[in-house]
Amino acid sequence: MTTLAPPATIPTNARVTGPRVVRAEWIKFRSLRSSPIMLAATVLVFAALGLGFSAFLADATIEPGTPAPPGGPSSLDPLGASLGGVNLAQLLIGTLGVLLTAGEYATGMIRTSLAAVPTRWPVLTAKATVLAGVSLALLVPTALLTFLGGQAILGDKGISLGDPGVLRAVLGAGAYLAVVGLLGAALGSLLRTTAGALTSVVALLLVVPGVVSLLPESWSDPISPYLPSNAGQAVMSIGDNPDLLSPGAGAAVLAVWVLALLGMALLRLRRRDA
């Protein structure tokens, strides 16, 4: 007769802990085909457009120093030229955030994740931790290297990393993209549909600022600076711009947006079935 193996026993130390959930989400993140593709696309678009705008400005007869308008870096100033890829790169990293969370609802994998982590909230916080860590580790150096390359192309028209506010603006560009990724992840978890979350990301970053700018000044002036894209522009700008918040206030506004959307996503995750 065949001897049956004794039933497997679960180790007493096999508890669900925060680091273990983060490790599990990291394994899922690097296992997804979309993760390296979207990250590579974000880096390539950011660098290619930044260097391209810098080359255009170097050959143009436009006087550098044109202030950046709300909604994105201007390609007419040395800093804005090097950071000109932010506008398109934000859509790519926002898409990655959406796919990271809404994709699990599309495949049904979210039920397995929540069965393994019954308290639920660590799943979303672990996803946000992994996405933020990877984005910062990759995009902040990309912003720094793109800026240095762009200023090398600009030559005498360029500015130095040591000029007032420049280092903060360059590092802020990478951090802003990481924030957009978190916004996408929060919307993906909140709406639970890839199409709806992607539409919301595009609307929040591009459509709403344009619509608000068409409103009367008595309405648009109090609203416009607090939109995510314009708050990010405040972090990535140097000099005074009356249409934007201060860099510190812009960073605070971005933090409020992320915490508010993640909080709503966590609340729905706790109260609604997957």
Side-chain angles (χ1 to χ4, degrees):
M1 297 178 62
T2 303
T3 303
L4 297 177
T9 58
I10 300 177
T12 57
N13 62 346
R15 300 187 305 272
V16 176
T17 63
R20 285 174 174 168
V21 178
V22 171
R23 183 172 180 270
E25 291 299 331
W26 163 243
I27 293 173
K28 287 194 287 185
F29 179 85
R30 60 186 175 87
S31 300
L32 289 173
R33 188 180 305 174
S34 61
S35 299
I37 293 175
M38 297 306 299
L39 286 172
T42 303
V43 170
L44 290 175
V45 165
F46 185 94
L49 289 180
L51 296 176
F53 286 138
S54 298
F56 169 78
L57 184 59
D59 295 334
T61 58
I62 303 171
E63 183 67 22
T66 302
S74 171
S75 60
L76 302 181
D77 67 89
L79 176 64
S82 296
L83 303 182
V86 167
N87 284 333
L88 185 55
Q90 66 181 349
L91 298 180
L92 296 173
I93 195 67
T95 300
L96 175 59
V98 169
L99 295 176
L100 186 63
T101 53
E104 283 207 42
Y105 287 94
T107 61
M109 179 61 72
I110 189 64
R111 292 190 289 271
T112 303
S113 299
L114 299 183
V117 187
T119 50
R120 295 192 171 200
W121 66 265
V123 173
L124 182 56
T125 56
K127 289 181 185 296
T129 300
V130 170
L131 179 60
V134 173
S135 299
L136 289 172
L138 190 62
L139 295 176
V140 169
T142 297
L144 183 60
L145 293 175
T146 302
F147 171 81
L148 295 175
Q151 301 314 303
I153 293 173
L154 286 167
D156 294 338
K157 291 184 178 181
I159 56 178
S160 170
L161 195 62
D163 290 343
V166 173
L167 179 60
R168 181 261 307 155
V170 173
L171 298 181
Y176 168 69
L177 291 177
V179 168
V180 172
L182 292 177
L183 291 177
L187 288 171
S189 180
L190 182 62
L191 301 179
R192 301 185 176 185
T193 62
T194 303
L198 286 176
T199 302
S200 299
V201 169
V202 173
L204 184 62
L205 298 178
L206 300 180
V207 178
V208 173
V211 172
V212 170
S213 66
L214 298 177
L215 298 175
E217 291 186 0
S218 59
W219 289 18
S220 63
D221 289 349
I223 298 174
S224 181
Y226 298 94
L227 298 175
S229 56
N230 292 341
Q233 174 61 21
V235 175
M236 296 181 284
S237 298
I238 56 176
D240 295 329
N241 189 329
D243 295 325
L244 298 174
L245 299 171
S246 66
V253 168
L254 289 174
V256 170
W257 273 99
V258 170
L259 292 176
L261 288 176
L262 283 176
M264 289 188 288
L266 285 171
L267 186 63
R268 189 180 185 194
L269 185 64
R270 291 293 301 272
R271 294 189 173 185
R272 297 288 298 272
D273 292 335

